[in-house]
Amino acid sequence: MTHIVFFKLKESTPENQDQLAAILNKMQGKIDLVHEMEVGKDFLHSDRSFDVALIVRLDKENLDAYQNNALHCACKKEFAPLVDYSKTVDFE
């Protein structure tokens, strides 16, 4: 399955995009449940744009374990001051 998270920063600057992307990339290759992970920064900056996206591919039955993974939770806590809100999409 695919789990996508779109992030809207409190202050949309290239520095904050870089900082959020760096925090998300700390999980890259370190959570065994995850098959693939990709982080992307928006370059268009339109009214409809989010600032950063996270794409995670994993087995559907592992989604809850991923959400509660210690590294995932630590990264969420670390980036919380930067993020205004996020939206998710989960599909098979």
Side-chain angles (χ1 to χ4, degrees), residues 3 18 23 26 28 30 38-39 55 57 61 67 71 86-87 91-92:
H3 171 70
D18 289 345
I23 293 167
K26 288 179 182 182
Q28 191 74 254
K30 295 184 180 146
E38 184 177 356
V39 175
I55 302 171
R57 292 194 175 79
E61 60 272 11
Q67 296 286 1
L71 178 57
S86 62
K87 300 286 184 178
F91 61 91
E92 294 184 273

Side-chain angles (χ1 to χ4, degrees), residues 1-7 50 54 63 66-67 72 76 85-91:
M1 70 151 289
T2 301
H3 171 70
I4 302 175
V5 185
F6 300 102
F7 297 92
F50 280 79
L54 170 68
L63 184 58
Y66 165 73
Q67 296 286 1
H72 179 259
K76 284 174 58 176
Y85 64 93
S86 62
K87 300 286 184 178
T88 64
V89 176
D90 297 284
F91 61 91

Side-chain angles (χ1 to χ4, degrees), residues 38-55:
E38 184 177 356
V39 175
K41 299 179 290 184
D42 178 62
F43 63 86
L44 193 56
H45 307 292
S46 76
D47 290 341
R48 296 179 39 179
S49 295
F50 280 79
D51 298 298
V52 176
L54 170 68
I55 302 171

